[in-house]
Amino acid sequence: MSRARTRSERRAILVLESPWALDDSDSNRSSVRPFVEGMAKMEPDVDVFSANFYDKNSFRLALECLCKVRFDNAIIYVAAHGYPGTIGGVKITDAMVMIGEAAKKHGITGLMLGSCFVGGDTVKLEVFIEGTGLRWAAGYSSSCNWLEGTLVDCNIMAKMLHLHSELLSEKDEMIEQLATATALFVEDYEIGEDLNDETVLLRDSLEFVIQPSGSGKRAKRVTDEVFALNTLEEEEQE
């Protein structure tokens, strides 16, 4: 169980979203913002800021627009269509460089990649969050159903916002919180498909990388530990 955080902490979710066009009549109608804002209303001291992006330059401008103050615990939520190596038409390497720089200056601790496929390269995620203020990142290695993925994303962000700076230095605490966030969902739910149009289960798509604060601690993929903890708790309850 996580220790209580202080009420004085400034927490936020910074939503960078690219228009979805989920169907032919979707004129910038579909958005993750109502879901994020609804979740944040459960926590009155969590602010939600959002901006749209369309390419690399607008991504930079959107990020700059959202990063005007320093937070104690903020999460960047990039919500866009994705493909291996790109998110919303922006190369993931370019996006990660910009996010890493912002994290150093503005107290951004988490990154939720709400996009198909871009979370699959966990080695790249490990490399790009090293040396930044980011303490965790999550994403999907397959395609991801829009509504179901948004709900998973929101629950992960809600749980991780409860970790104050002290707990973000503790690997076990971070893994436990991620496990709690995913325990609400059935691990063998068919969340999407791979590049060969084969069905992919939630536990085989969702990926986690953490980098606890503290000297000598490195970024590391912890997906197996997260889902193993959920499995252990289920077995203990039977």
Side-chain angles (χ1 to χ4, degrees), residues 104-119:
K104 294 177 185 177
K105 302 174 183 177
H106 299 284
I108 297 164
T109 61
L111 172 62
M112 185 71 233
L113 296 170
S115 177
C116 298
F117 296 110
V118 296

Side-chain angles (χ1 to χ4, degrees), residues 60 85 149 180 229:
R60 178 185 293 106
T180 300
L229 186 58

Side-chain angles (χ1 to χ4, degrees), residues 69-194:
V69 299
R70 182 170 181 82
F71 302 97
D72 296 296
N73 188 357
I75 295 170
I76 287 182
Y77 183 21
V78 185
H81 286 298
Y83 199 73
T86 65
I87 186 165
V90 181
K91 290 182 180 179
I92 189 62
T93 51
D94 293 333
M96 288 298 299
V97 168
M98 289 184 271
I99 291 169
E101 288 300 315
K104 294 177 185 177
K105 302 174 183 177
H106 299 284
I108 297 164
T109 61
L111 172 62
M112 185 71 233
L113 296 170
S115 177
C116 298
F117 296 110
V118 296
D121 193 343
T122 54
V123 173
K124 185 174 292 182
L125 288 178
E126 290 172 351
V127 170
F128 275 94
I129 71 172
E130 286 278 0
T132 72
L134 290 170
R135 300 301 166 212
W136 64 272
Y140 299 88
S141 63
S142 69
S143 70
C144 181
N145 300 331
W146 189 85
L147 177 59
E148 292 90 329
T150 300
L151 297 177
V152 173
D153 298 346
C154 284
N155 204 48
I156 290 171
M157 292 187 290
K159 297 301 182 184
M160 295 307 284
L161 279 171
H162 279 268
L163 293 183
H164 55 66
S165 56
E166 179 186 349
L167 296 181
L168 288 170
S169 67
E170 300 182 16
K171 174 185 175 182
D172 291 344
E173 194 77 35
M174 296 174 72
I175 291 174
E176 180 180 349
Q177 198 75 339
L178 290 169
T180 300
T182 55
L184 179 65
F185 306 95
V186 178
E187 294 179 11
D188 59 0
Y189 178 79
E190 297 178 357
I191 193 66
E193 298 177 341
D194 62 20

Side-chain angles (χ1 to χ4, degrees), residues 16 31 33 45 47 62 66 104 108 112 142-143 189 196 199 205 212 227 229 231:
L16 287 93
S31 174
R33 290 192 299 274
D45 57 338
D47 293 316
L66 299 181
K104 294 177 185 177
I108 297 164
M112 185 71 233
S142 69
S143 70
Y189 178 79
N196 296 317
T199 298
S205 179
F227 285 112
L229 186 58
T231 300

